[in-house]
Structures are given as structure tokens and as C-alpha cells.
């Protein structure tokens, strides 16, 4: 479901607890007033995950994705990405994203969903000791079969 500015306190709380370098309130506000797609997941009426996508010229880019650390490992990010891919199927041909080179859990998730490494940006992210490289991942949507029941857990 889409989130709005009234949801930002909860979204920011998740963002701050899930990331050492969280997005700012301004980042989210800018996304909400632009053409970005701001979505999330609620469990028992409370936000537990969020993602922001940009769509330009038939391509989607995942700008941010976070899950409440208390709920990580429960397929929430995976199911959110699968849902968004199904929504994008008629609008875009591919999804791109950047991920910290050290984020092996996220990389495993993206690769399990059919994303492939397409490049690397050196010194892209801030890190405790300087900068960290970002890996660029891409997935062609038209290659994904949403009708297969074993694709979604």
C-alpha cells in the first residue's frame, strides 16, 4: 500500500532503525511530492517496511527498501518486491537498484529474485571508514513468470 506524509513518523522510525545511513525526512518528502512510487507493508495496522521507486522511460529504479529489524528474515522484503514487480509488469521492462557491496543478505535476496549484477560504483556510499562501493543490479521484468506458484513463498 502507498504511504503518505502522515505516515512519515512511522516510516522514518523504521528507516533509522534499519540503516546506519538512513534517508532523511526531506528525502521522503521529496519522493512523496515527485512522481516516485512510495509503498510499504503494514502488519496489524503498523508499518513494518517501505520502499520507494522511480520510473523513467520504461525503467524502474528501487531507491530505498527497509524492513523493521525486528521483522527481518520473514520474507517481507521479498514479497514486497514480488508484488511491485507484478504491478510494474505492464509499465516497465526492467528494474535497477544499487546495494552496498557488503550487504550480503540483500544481495542474496535480489539474486534469488532473478536480479543480476550489472556494474559497480566505486566509493558510492558513506561508510564508517570512508566510502563503500555500490553494486548495480538489474532485472528484466518480461523474463519473470508471475504465474508460477512456487515463485512466491
Amino acid at each position: 500500500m502507498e504511504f503518505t506524509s502522515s505516515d512519515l513518523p512511522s516510516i522514518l522510525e523504521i528507516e533509522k532503525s534499519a540503516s546506519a545511513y538512513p534517508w532523511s525526512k526531506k528525502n521522503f518528502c521529496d519522493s512523496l511530492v515527485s512522481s516516485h512510487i512510495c509503498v510499504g507493508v503494514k502488519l496489524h495496522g503498523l508499518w513494518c517496511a517501505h520502499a520507494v521507486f522511480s520510473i523513467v522511460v520504461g525503467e524502474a529504479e528501487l531507491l530505498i527498501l527497509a524492513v523493521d529489524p525486528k521483522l527481518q528474515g520473514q520474507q517481507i522484503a521479498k514479497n514486497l518486491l514480488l508484488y511491485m514487480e507484478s504491478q510494474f509488469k505492464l509499465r516497465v521492462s526492467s528494474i535497477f537498484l544499487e546495494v552496498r557491496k557488503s550487504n550480503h543478505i540483500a544481495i542474496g535476496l535480489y539474486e534469488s529474485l532473478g536480479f543480476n549484477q550489472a556494474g559497480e560504483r566505486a566509493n558510492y556510499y558513506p561508510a564508517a571508514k570512508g566510502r563503500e562501493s555500490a553494486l548495480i543490479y538489474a532485472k528484466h521484468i518480461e523474463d519473470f513468470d508471475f504465474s508460477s506458484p512456487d515463485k512466491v513463498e
Side-chain angles (χ1 to χ4, degrees):
M1 79 186 324
E2 291 189 31
F3 63 83
T4 67
S5 59
S6 66
D7 299 308
L8 283 183
S10 298
I11 298 296
L12 286 167
E13 192 174 309
I14 294 166
E15 181 69 13
K16 289 175 184 173
S17 67
S19 175
Y21 301 93
W23 262 26
S24 67
K25 182 177 182 179
K26 182 178 182 339
N27 292 131
F28 284 104
C29 288
D30 289 348
S31 293
L32 285 166
V33 298
S34 72
S35 59
H36 293 163
I37 298 168
C38 302
V39 294
V41 176
K42 279 186 169 182
L43 287 178
H44 309 296
L46 301 173
W47 289 105
C48 67
H50 59 267
V52 176
F53 294 86
S54 172
I55 297 180
V56 178
V57 193
E59 294 179 343
E61 181 179 3
L62 174 61
L63 302 175
I64 191 81
L65 171 65
V67 175
D68 184 326
K70 297 179 293 250
L71 299 169
Q72 290 176 359
Q74 297 184 29
Q75 309 295 320
I76 294 169
K78 180 177 184 175
N79 288 326
L80 176 57
L81 288 171
L82 287 169
Y83 174 76
M84 291 310 297
E85 286 178 21
S86 73
Q87 297 302 297
F88 291 152
K89 192 169 188 178
L90 299 176
R91 295 178 64 188
V92 302
S93 61
S94 53
I95 300 176
F96 291 89
L97 60 88
E98 290 148 350
V99 59
R100 287 179 180 272
K101 193 172 185 174
S102 65
N103 193 342
H104 302 291
I105 292 172
I107 291 167
L109 168 65
Y110 300 137
E111 290 179 352
S112 77
L113 292 172
F115 284 84
N116 295 297
Q117 187 178 341
E120 184 172 336
R121 296 185 201 275
N123 303 313
Y124 187 75
Y125 289 111
K129 295 182 180 181
R131 307 289 292 176
E132 179 178 2
S133 294
L135 300 179
I136 302 166
Y137 273 78
K139 177 177 182 177
H140 295 285
I141 301 275
E142 64 270 10
D143 294 337
F144 195 81
D145 179 9
F146 288 99
S147 64
S148 177
D150 62 337
K151 292 290 184 183
V152 181
E153 293 180 8

